[in-house]
Amino acid sequence: MFKKLLKYLLYSTITLITLLCIYLLTAFCLSRITINGEANTKPEVQVYIKTNGVHTDIVVPVKNAQMDWSQEIKFANTTSNDSTAQFVA
């Protein structure tokens, strides 16, 4: 009985470690894949990515030639209530 339990525990541990190693190896390999930028394009709007490790924000200028976010997002409804902010997330 004890041998059977020990054997089951050993197989479970080996399976868990193997799956964890496969996950880490896959994450490492897939994160190394890169792409080339499109030819003949100019970056016209600065876009930033902000993360806290759990949540990711896309940060864009409040006003640019393509969009005026100050018309869509009222500064009075934000936490900082700062109308001089240059970027919105």
Side-chain angles (χ1 to χ4, degrees), residues 49-57:
I49 304 295
K50 177 184 172 192
T51 183
N52 64 5
V54 176
H55 179 77
T56 302
D57 291 331

Side-chain angles (χ1 to χ4, degrees), residues 53-73:
V54 176
H55 179 77
T56 302
D57 291 331
I58 298 173
V59 182
V60 295
V62 173
K63 293 180 184 178
N64 60 37
Q66 289 80 18
M67 184 70 181
D68 183 4
W69 286 104
S70 64
Q71 300 299 316
E72 299 292 326
I73 301 170

Side-chain angles (χ1 to χ4, degrees), residues 9-43:
L9 185 62
L10 179 65
Y11 284 142
S12 299
T13 305
I14 290 172
T15 302
L16 182 65
I17 291 171
T18 302
L19 290 174
L20 181 64
C21 288
I22 290 171
Y23 171 77
L24 292 173
L25 182 64
T26 304
F28 177 78
C29 291
L30 292 179
S31 68
R32 299 297 180 245
I33 297 174
T34 60
I35 59 169
N36 295 327
E38 294 179 15
N40 302 326
T41 59
K42 296 186 285 185

